[in-house]
Amino acid sequence: MSTNINSMTPIRIGNLLLKNRIVSAPSTMHSMSDGQLYPTENAMAFFEERARAGVGMVTVAGLKVGKDVQDDGAMTAWDVNAPNHRNKLMELVERVHYYNAKISMELIGIFPEGYTVSDGCSIMGWGEGHEITREAMEEFKNDWADAAEQLADCGFDAILIHSGHSCPLAQFLSPLTNKRTDEYGGSTENRCRYLIEILDAIRARVGNRLMIEVRISGTEFEEGGIEIEEGIRIGELIQDHLDVLQVSAGMHNPKWMTWVHPCGFRPPMPNVYVAEAFKKSGKIHVPITTVGAIDSVSSADEIISSGKADIVTIARALIADPELIKKGTSGREDDVTPCIKCMRCHDSTVYGHHFQCAVNPKAGLEACLKSLETAPERSKKVAVVGGGPAGMKAALVANERGHNVTLFEASDSLGGALKFADYVEFKYPLAGYKNWLVKQVEKNDIAVKLNTKATPDNLTGFDAVIMAIGAEPLIIPVPGVENAKIATSVYGKEDTLGKEVIVIGGGQVGCETALHLAKKGIKTSVIEMRDELAPDASTTHRAELMIEIDNEPNFVTITSAKCVGVTADSVTYEKDGKQEIIKGDSVILSSGMKAKSAEADSFIGCAPEFVEIGDCVRARTVEQATKEAFYAANNL
């Protein structure tokens, strides 16, 4: 491939010309559904912003394949069958087309009546199904063709058939899950047969009106499943029935989800090598798309110019900063807000009931933000107390809005509660965000006073004060607890802890501290009074964390255990009505944090405008710190 081809180079695929080679990956906006069987204004505004961001194509998700589409009270369920449901889908098409972007719909069908490819297969990670019948396969194939035809009539430019990550169609492709004994099981050709039949049925209906893209897992990693050579063989067999092949990796099960949704436990962009193997095999003649934590325009440029893929698909990085493309192509890539791979966007669509991003407080508010934001009446003199993530974000937003900002930090450096991330290998995305905040503060017109503890007496002459002094460790009332080291104090001092360590507290912080130490070769035992570890972690991150814990031999779990005594080298705990003693070289306390509410409240009245944000309100997450900082600064 010529080196002058990069991510901004247009690409023609059949009848479709994409203005560039960056595609926004599908996001299913469950939290933006109010039960309607069509896109809400919130969902349309979200996808419209993807188009405004400058991508060549926007991939949307939410359509349910089948005739009887109903609201289940939780998930997005768009129905393309009823004419009045198509109205909003057609409006969505026009709003994306307005920005000269193309639009695609992901189709990820769940077989009806609990069917899977073979008996005992998982249904998208929950429950076990039974082998789908030939009659049901034929009906479902027709449902896919019907949906594609209706989407073409609505003006969609493309569809993405999700046949990866052990989704229902993907189960046919994998020798691990496909145990059928008919013509749809056994050989690679047989395992590809049903997907090819669906693709041919769709093509017969829509001709060249839709570009057909298919996602597969180029490798499933699991022994007995698809590995790269078999993945390439599958690609060879199906390529003449599609237009674009999207190569992902992993399976939709707890063991391999960290590849499906690459996080801090994986290196940056860990799945690109799989697409590269397909591209450079010489056996695939259709365009190849790569996906999985692509982080920037420069990364996309390198992938494409070096011939690793033809198209790059991005989801989370564009949520973290919708200006990623504009900043990246104008020499401002250092200003792109980095994604921390926390998966809060993914989890909020089901469990949070409001779409959110830990580093982009505007996410989920696309439809109403213009009506919420107003310009400040005048420039104000603003003091921000605390140089953690909340304080830095508040200072940046206030400065951007034209205020004169002074940031007070009691220690000798900015970063606050995120400083620990510098020492933890699997927290490199969070460390990157912390460092980005620090650099943004440094490059803007913000007066920073380090080694300066603010008091109500020295905050004079300010129009507004934003308190962001954070939280402090919660000390449990247990005899001898003073002998324990506080979890936040051990980072950077790991070599002083000894060969065996006991961590009291198995919440997310305790587990991540223990895992960090265990990965350094220290045998680390975690004592948690609840029945499971890290119940406070977000759903997907907890699953990822537990994968790592289960695979770490130096991590010892003791749950349903109440700590009743501590010495410098031991912990006594009660479990099942008995007392046990565990010995170690050091004891670490990770029993939570408590807000510095009293100290924060002591500043009330020191300025006409006063607000508290972040952990000094209540110890929580980066997401809450970022959001409250944004709100506070926007209301000055």
Side-chain angles (χ1 to χ4, degrees):
M1 179 176 288
S2 172
T3 56
N4 64 353
I5 296 179
N6 59 29
S7 63
M8 292 296 105
T9 304
I11 182 172
R12 176 169 290 282
I13 304 169
N15 292 336
L16 204 62
L17 179 66
L18 301 185
K19 66 180 180 181
N20 62 50
R21 296 167 185 243
I22 295 181
V23 172
S24 68
S27 301
T28 307
M29 313 310 295
H30 296 304
S31 57
M32 292 184 178
S33 172
D34 302 325
Q36 302 97 320
L37 301 183
Y38 47 82
T40 63
E41 175 58 27
N42 286 336
M44 287 195 287
F46 174 85
F47 290 117
E48 179 187 331
E49 186 180 61
R50 307 276 80 73
R52 189 185 301 114
V55 300
M57 184 164 69
V58 176
T59 311
V60 303
L63 194 75
K64 292 293 180 282
V65 176
K67 298 294 188 298
D68 185 25
V69 180
Q70 297 180 1
D71 170 35
D72 66 3
M75 307 296 185
T76 295
W78 295 345
D79 175 25
V80 75
N81 298 297
N84 61 348
H85 294 158
R86 293 198 289 269
N87 297 343
K88 287 299 182 181
L89 288 167
M90 296 178 79
E91 180 183 338
L92 175 58
V93 167
E94 296 306 318
R95 289 167 68 164
V96 169
H97 282 170
Y98 179 87
Y99 295 97
N100 192 28
K102 306 304 182 184
I103 184 168
S104 176
M105 176 69 80
E106 179 191 43
L107 297 179
I108 176 173
I110 305 298
F111 293 143
E113 300 179 23
Y115 284 131
T116 53
V117 60
S118 304
D119 289 339
C121 282
S122 167
I123 304 173
M124 292 296 288
W126 52 269
E128 290 187 353
H130 52 282
E131 184 168 299
I132 187 169
T133 64
R134 293 286 300 277
E135 293 75 17
M137 287 169 62
E138 184 69 18
E139 183 178 354
F140 201 61
K141 178 184 71 177
N142 291 331
D143 287 342
W144 280 67
D146 289 343
E149 184 175 23
Q150 297 285 13
L151 289 169
D153 291 344
C154 286
F156 277 80
D157 303 293
I159 54 174
L160 169 63
I161 306 295
H162 195 335
S163 187
H165 307 162
S166 64
C167 292
L169 282 183
Q171 293 177 354
F172 272 86
L173 302 180
S174 175
L176 182 68
T177 51
N178 188 338
K179 303 302 181 184
R180 300 178 72 95
T181 57
D182 59 9
E183 66 266 41
Y184 295 97
S187 67
T188 308
E189 289 80 3
N190 282 358
R191 285 183 275 111
C192 290
R193 188 184 306 277
Y194 186 45
L195 175 58
I196 289 173
E197 288 181 358
I198 290 174
L199 294 174
D200 288 348
I202 291 172
R203 185 69 79 191
R205 294 284 193 92
V206 304
N208 292 323
R209 289 197 294 158
L210 288 178
M211 183 190 85
I212 300 175
E213 182 178 14
V214 174
R215 173 188 287 170
I216 66 170
S217 287
T219 175
E220 293 179 321
F221 300 109
E222 186 75 34
E223 184 177 354
I226 298 171
E227 40 75 34
I228 290 180
E229 287 303 315
E230 176 67 3
I232 293 172
R233 175 63 178 153
I234 291 170
E236 282 187 273
L237 290 170
I238 67 176
Q239 63 181 330
D240 289 336
H241 306 268
L242 51 85
D243 298 302
V244 177
L245 183 63
Q246 184 178 126
V247 180
S248 185
M251 299 181 72
H252 201 288
N253 64 32
K255 189 174 180 181
W256 302 113
M257 283 298 287
T258 57
W259 297 90
V260 173
H261 304 295
C263 59
F265 295 118
R266 303 277 77 84
M269 302 181 294
N271 297 336
V272 173
Y273 83 97
V274 186
E276 180 181 12
F278 276 65
K279 183 66 181 171
K280 295 183 177 179
S281 69
K283 299 177 180 179
I284 307 297
H285 57 73
V286 297
I288 296 289
T289 299
T290 188
V291 61
I294 312 300
D295 56 11
S296 64
V297 170
S298 61
S299 293
D301 285 344
E302 191 281 327
I303 289 167
I304 292 168
S305 65
S306 62
K308 296 174 182 176
D310 302 289
I311 299 169
V312 166
T313 299
I314 302 176
R316 289 174 289 172
L318 278 167
I319 295 170
D321 194 337
E323 297 292 304
L324 179 147
I325 294 175
K326 295 177 182 177
K327 291 177 181 177
T329 55
S330 63
R332 296 187 298 128
E333 195 153 271
D334 288 346
D335 292 332
V336 174
T337 309
C339 170
I340 63 173
K341 303 181 184 180
C342 64
M343 294 304 294
R344 187 64 181 93
C345 56
H346 181 275
D347 291 345
S348 67
T349 59
V350 180
Y351 304 100
H353 303 294
H354 183 263
F355 188 77
Q356 300 176 69
C357 170
V359 299
N360 177 13
K362 298 180 182 181
L365 298 176
E366 291 85 0
C368 61
L369 196 59
K370 288 183 180 180
S371 65
L372 292 173
E373 290 185 316
T374 57
E377 296 179 355
R378 62 183 177 87
S379 177
K380 297 176 181 178
K381 190 176 180 182
V382 179
V384 179
V385 183
M392 287 190 286
K393 182 66 176 180
L396 287 167
V397 176
N399 173 75
E400 183 181 359
R401 287 174 58 81
H403 298 300
N404 183 356
V405 181
T406 301
L407 177 58
F408 294 85
E409 168 55 40
S411 74
D412 61 359
S413 62
L414 299 176
L418 302 188
K419 291 179 182 178
F420 84 97
D422 290 336
Y423 302 96
V424 184
E425 183 181 6
F426 56 83
K427 285 295 184 180
Y428 74 87
L430 189 60
Y433 177 62
K434 183 264 294 179
N435 294 335
W436 178 84
L437 284 172
V438 173
K439 290 178 181 178
Q440 290 295 306
V441 169
E442 291 174 347
K443 72 186 295 184
N444 281 281
D445 185 22
I446 297 170
V448 179
K449 294 185 178 297
L450 299 176
N451 298 305
T452 305
K453 184 172 178 58
T455 67
D457 293 333
N458 64 16
L459 288 187
T460 58
F462 287 98
D463 298 305
V465 170
I466 299 177
M467 292 299 298
I469 58 173
E472 59 190 357
L474 178 65
I475 309 300
I476 57 176
V478 171
V481 71
E482 67 275 5
N483 292 299
K485 297 176 173 64
I486 303 302
T488 53
S489 70
V490 303
Y491 293 100
K493 303 174 184 176
E494 294 86 350
D495 58 352
T496 68
L497 300 176
K499 296 181 179 180
E500 295 192 21
V501 169
I502 307 161
V503 176
I504 303 170
Q508 179 177 335
V509 173
C511 285
E512 290 181 344
T513 301
L515 181 62
H516 165 62
L517 297 176
K519 285 178 176 291
K520 287 185 169 294
I522 301 172
K523 182 180 179 181
T524 308
S525 300
V526 176
I527 299 174
E528 169 56 41
M529 66 185 301
R530 290 167 289 191
D531 296 334
E532 61 180 14
L533 296 178
D536 55 327
S538 64
T539 305
T540 303
H541 179 66
R542 183 182 183 276
E544 296 165 346
L545 180 60
M546 294 309 299
I547 293 170
E548 294 297 308
I549 289 173
D550 291 342
N551 290 332
E552 178 48 65
N554 288 319
F555 193 108
V556 179
T557 300
I558 305 172
T559 54
S560 304
K562 181 181 179 181
C563 175
V564 295
V566 180
T567 70
D569 62 357
S570 72
V571 173
T572 302
Y573 63 91
E574 290 181 354
K575 181 178 173 68
D576 299 328
K578 299 179 181 179
Q579 283 199 356
E580 303 283 349
I581 298 177
I582 182 171
K583 291 279 191 177
D585 299 307
S586 298
V587 178
I588 297 171
L589 180 64
S590 179
S591 54
M593 304 289 286
K594 62 177 181 179
K596 294 181 180 179
S597 300
E599 183 180 347
D601 288 352
S602 71
F603 287 80
I604 293 174
C606 65
E609 295 182 57
F610 177 84
V611 63
E612 297 174 2
I613 63 173
D615 283 356
C616 72
V617 176
R618 182 163 54 89
R620 290 157 297 162
T621 63
V622 172
E623 174 189 341
Q624 296 297 328
T626 302
K627 184 184 301 182
E628 290 175 4
F630 178 72
Y631 294 168
N634 267 292
N635 279 281
L636 293 175

